[in-house]
Amino acid sequence: TILASGGPCYYGRLVDGPDPYAPLMQYLGSVDPHDYFNISIGLQNMLWNYYASGGSGVGAGISAMPSMHVAGATLFALLGWRTNHFLGIALSANVGLIMIATVFLGWHYAIDGYVAIIGTVAIWWIVGAVLRKVAAPAQYVGA
């Protein structure tokens, strides 16, 4: 919760004064209601209503920082690189697409994705270092 923040889609509801993201949200709201992108607007409104009514629960938050969407995709990309070169490339491209989509659909600020990528890579590296250190002595136990 240290980095908790509301994404661009909630800026006008959380901050007094002009909303720099209003044109984006107006455009997204004007998209054909049968278009896939309008799903985001409906979900954003549903989450806001849940938040505003004092609701809590898993998946009910409006926090943007860091982006769990980008963090999850980054974790899969790291695993992809560990498994197969082509898979690493494909899943890294997916990180880029998710990063772009979350910003253009008003869910996240770009910095939310950057922090998610850096944090996920750091955690991956630290956990790997700890596991190598713990596993190294175990390799020699039965020798």
Side-chain angles (χ1 to χ4, degrees), residues 103-116:
V103 171
F104 282 112
L105 292 174
W107 287 104
H108 291 286
Y109 305 98
I111 190 76
D112 302 337
Y114 303 146
V115 169

Side-chain angles (χ1 to χ4, degrees), residues 2 19 53 60 66 68 82 95-96 98 100 109 111 121 134 140 142:
I2 292 171
D19 179 0
S53 69
M68 292 293 108
R82 194 79 172 173
V95 171
I98 289 176
I100 290 167
Y109 305 98
I111 190 76
V121 170
V134 169
Y140 302 105

Side-chain angles (χ1 to χ4, degrees), residues 36-73:
Y36 178 76
F37 292 117
N38 253 12
I39 292 171
S40 283
I41 297 298
L43 289 172
Q44 290 163 351
N45 288 331
M46 179 190 72
L47 288 173
W48 178 261
N49 291 336
Y50 197 67
Y51 168 78
S53 69
S56 63
V58 175
I62 63 166
S63 183
M65 173 73 83
S67 169
M68 292 293 108
H69 303 98
V70 175

Side-chain angles (χ1 to χ4, degrees), residues 117-131:
I117 291 168
I118 292 167
T120 302
V121 170
I123 291 168
W124 175 274
W125 184 84
I126 292 166
V127 169
V130 168
L131 290 176

